[in-house]
Amino acid sequence: MRPDTFHWLCTQYYKSSMWAGLDPKTQKTRRAILERFALHNGNGDKPFRMMLARHIRKRLDEMMATPEAANSMVKVLRQLFRFAVTYDLADTNPAKDVELLKSNPDGYHSWTLAEIEKFEETHPEGSTARLALALALYTGQRRSDLVLFGKQHVQKGWLVFTQQKGKGRNPVRLEIPIVPELERIIEASETGDLAFLVNAYGRPFTNAGFGNRFRKWCDDAGLKHCSVHGLRKAAAARLAELGCTEFEIMAITGHQTSKEVTRYTKAASQKVRAQAASEKMRAGQS
């Protein structure tokens, strides 16, 4: 491997402290993106110092049908070349000034009450699908945490755990009360010893395996546009509609900044403010 190719630069990146400081899940995602970019049009064998912003923009345009994937590619290339500049392997970062594509500003679809009820009609209490829905909706956690929840995390009516995302760098420990509805559904369901959610073989789901299975459960209910992550968003929106502050919602979801929570709850918060304004208007007219 020549010491000037894109492939070579990637291997140096993987050996660096900048790479070692990343969460394993982040490493896996970035490596996959870099490998796909390297395979496209023989990029891996080309001199990385010859790469210009226009080359990256060209690939970005080719991926415009999937803006989130395209933007992720640019962000990962920015980090790769930030490493190259930091270690004096390159003079410039060609990805730094590449504009990201516009994507859905609302992100994942947030489940409506009607969609939740449709899922519940398809998957009765006692089923793994119904338990998965309840865990996601009443805890507001990511699927990487949902698949690990078990009896060992229950302490006097509370779920006590450390979120998987960023666990190696910035661990977030949470204590969430188990609401009566969730407790009832857990008790009505067949669960594993160390994981509430188990597959057909009685083993805990992997993160990817659970995502695929939940996709099928949604499809079976005719909810093609719904996802497990959308339940995390719906949980935050429900809390906002109940009048919870952003910091109270963050105490449940585990977000460390209010930016994402604000995006999750924008519509719900507007509804609450509109209701408050309407009540003040009626009071002023009486």
Side-chain angles (χ1 to χ4, degrees), residues 22-283:
L22 299 174
D23 183 87
K25 183 179 178 181
T26 301
Q27 290 180 347
K28 182 179 179 180
T29 301
R30 287 192 183 182
R31 187 187 289 267
I33 292 173
L34 290 172
E35 288 178 355
R36 284 195 297 270
F37 184 83
L39 288 172
H40 178 75
N41 203 28
N43 286 330
D45 297 322
K46 296 177 180 178
F48 67 87
R49 296 186 185 89
M50 299 295 289
M51 187 175 295
L52 303 174
R54 61 183 173 86
H55 299 136
I56 299 173
R57 288 194 185 96
K58 184 176 184 295
R59 181 57 183 147
L60 189 73
D61 290 344
E62 293 171 349
M63 298 174 64
M64 66 173 65
T66 54
E68 294 294 342
N71 290 340
S72 293
M73 176 198 70
V74 174
K75 292 175 183 177
V76 171
L77 288 174
R78 286 175 180 172
Q79 295 305 312
L80 173 67
F81 280 95
R82 185 170 75 88
F83 154 77
V85 172
T86 301
Y87 281 72
D88 294 325
L89 299 174
D91 295 327
T92 60
N93 184 336
K96 184 175 66 173
D97 296 324
V98 175
E99 305 81 4
L100 299 179
L101 296 176
K102 290 184 178 180
S103 58
N104 180 6
D106 296 325
Y108 288 91
H109 167 71
S110 180
W111 292 50
T112 65
L113 180 59
E115 289 165 344
I116 293 171
E117 291 175 345
K118 189 173 182 181
F119 189 98
E120 291 176 338
E121 289 171 2
T122 305
H123 304 288
E125 286 188 20
S127 66
T128 304
R130 186 64 168 272
L131 174 59
L133 176 82
L135 283 169
L137 188 60
Y138 293 118
T139 69
Q141 300 306 304
R142 303 177 184 88
R143 71 183 188 189
S144 57
D145 296 308
L146 299 178
V147 297
L148 296 179
F149 283 154
K151 297 173 183 176
Q152 69 276 17
H153 296 110
V154 179
Q155 297 182 19
K156 297 181 180 180
W158 290 67
L159 272 177
V160 181
F161 63 100
T162 299
Q163 289 186 324
Q164 290 301 296
K165 184 175 181 179
K167 186 177 181 180
R169 292 181 298 155
N170 300 301
V172 177
R173 185 177 184 276
L174 294 177
E175 297 185 24
I176 300 175
I178 301 175
V179 298
E181 178 67 7
L182 175 57
E183 184 177 19
R184 184 178 65 79
I185 292 177
I186 291 175
E187 291 177 352
S189 306
E190 289 189 18
T191 63
D193 293 330
L194 296 178
F196 292 135
L197 296 170
V198 292
N199 59 26
Y201 301 99
R203 293 194 291 267
F205 283 99
T206 62
N207 191 357
F210 176 67
N212 293 334
R213 178 54 57 179
F214 200 89
R215 173 73 272 144
K216 185 179 185 304
W217 289 332
C218 288
D219 292 346
D220 290 343
L223 302 170
K224 302 288 185 181
H225 58 297
C226 291
S227 67
V228 65
H229 195 82
L231 284 170
R232 176 169 164 81
K233 190 172 181 179
R238 274 188 167 190
L239 293 171
E241 288 187 353
L242 292 171
C244 293
T245 67
E246 288 185 350
F247 286 107
E248 288 172 336
I249 296 172
M250 288 164 62
I252 294 291
T253 63
H255 286 103
Q256 296 302 287
T257 66
S258 62
K259 180 180 179 181
E260 192 70 7
V261 170
T262 299
R263 188 164 69 90
Y264 277 11
T265 63
K266 182 177 179 181
S269 297
Q270 180 275 326
K271 182 178 178 181
V272 171
R273 291 193 296 269
Q275 178 67 30
S278 178
E279 291 176 356
K280 290 178 182 178
M281 186 183 299
R282 286 197 298 269

Side-chain angles (χ1 to χ4, degrees), residues 6-22 27-36 38 76 80 83:
F6 184 84
H7 265 312
W8 179 85
L9 179 63
C10 289
T11 60
Q12 301 309 302
Y13 182 37
Y14 302 150
K15 298 175 185 177
S16 71
S17 60
M18 292 176 69
W19 179 264
L22 299 174
Q27 290 180 347
K28 182 179 179 180
T29 301
R30 287 192 183 182
R31 187 187 289 267
I33 292 173
L34 290 172
E35 288 178 355
R36 284 195 297 270
V76 171
L80 173 67
F83 154 77

